Amino acid sequence: MWPLGHVAVAYLCYALATRARFDAPPAHVPVLVLVVGSQFPDLVDKPLAWYLGVIPTGRTLAHSLFLIVPLSIAVYALASHYDRSEYGIAFAIGALSHVLVDALPVLWGVEGSANHLLWPAIPVEEYEQGPPTVLGLLRESMGDPFFLSEFLLAAIAVALWRRHGYPGLEPLYTALDRVRPTAG
């Protein structure tokens, strides 16, 4: 799945969780943490595999439940220590949704595997030869229904995000205002 799809799935899951727990939309800062969590496995694994060659594929170390579950628990514990447990929940939902969604195509027989979920206990097949190009990945993905479904999920997530008042943008605007030069 592409970054947009991971953010969309994570936001939809988190919005459902906050609605169920608080009967409210997601808050600003937890949404930013959610976005980081939703990208975390790829931000770790892709560079380690494609550029440094220290792990076998772009879906191993940070895509493994052996790392992502304890890490999510640790992030939650740290956030809770600072009375920000919702940040830990947001990170966990983002990271866990990422690795689980990456395993979904196996359910309908699409080429690939879910071995990354239990790496290194279950080996993964080395299939990548250095970093792929974005255009190459895009060409490979174009006819894939899983890839095309990402756009539907993103449209639903953006509509819901809009309905919720664009949570996450306010702290970004505030941060930008602090660093923007003033006239005068």
Side-chain angles (χ1 to χ4, degrees):
M1 183 168 270
W2 289 69
L4 177 67
H6 284 301
V7 169
V9 169
Y11 188 79
L12 292 171
C13 291
Y14 187 63
L16 284 171
T18 57
R19 181 62 60 192
R21 290 169 34 244
F22 306 121
D23 195 27
H28 289 287
V29 175
V31 167
L32 296 175
V33 175
L34 175 80
V35 170
V36 171
S38 76
Q39 302 307 305
F40 179 81
D42 283 344
L43 292 173
V44 171
D45 284 356
K46 302 305 187 210
L48 289 178
W50 294 348
Y51 300 104
L52 299 177
V54 296
I55 56 176
T57 75
R59 281 189 191 162
T60 44
L61 179 64
H63 283 74
S64 174
L65 295 175
F66 292 125
L67 174 83
I68 211 69
V69 170
L71 177 65
S72 294
I73 292 168
V75 169
Y76 176 78
L78 181 64
S80 293
H81 178 74
Y82 290 100
D83 293 324
R84 301 285 190 258
S85 60
E86 195 60 26
Y87 298 0
I89 291 169
F91 179 87
I93 288 174
L96 290 167
S97 70
H98 181 117
V99 300
L100 295 174
V101 167
D102 274 355
L104 276 181
V106 170
L107 294 178
W108 50 84
V110 175
E111 183 180 321
S113 87
N115 289 0
H116 66 273
L117 292 174
L118 298 175
W119 184 85
I122 297 175
V124 294
E125 193 174 316
E126 292 189 43
Y127 58 91
E128 298 159 353
Q129 302 297 321
T133 65
V134 172
L135 287 176
L137 287 172
L138 195 56
R139 254 191 309 271
E140 287 176 23
S141 302
M142 284 312 246
D144 182 4
F146 188 63
F147 171 71
L148 300 175
S149 71
E150 292 182 49
F151 293 100
L152 175 62
L153 290 169
I156 294 167
V158 167
L160 190 60
W161 184 54
R162 179 176 184 242
R163 184 173 172 204
H164 292 156
Y166 302 107
L169 286 184
E170 185 178 299
L172 292 178
Y173 289 148
T174 301
L176 286 174
D177 285 342
R178 287 185 193 146
V179 298
R180 188 174 294 139
T182 57

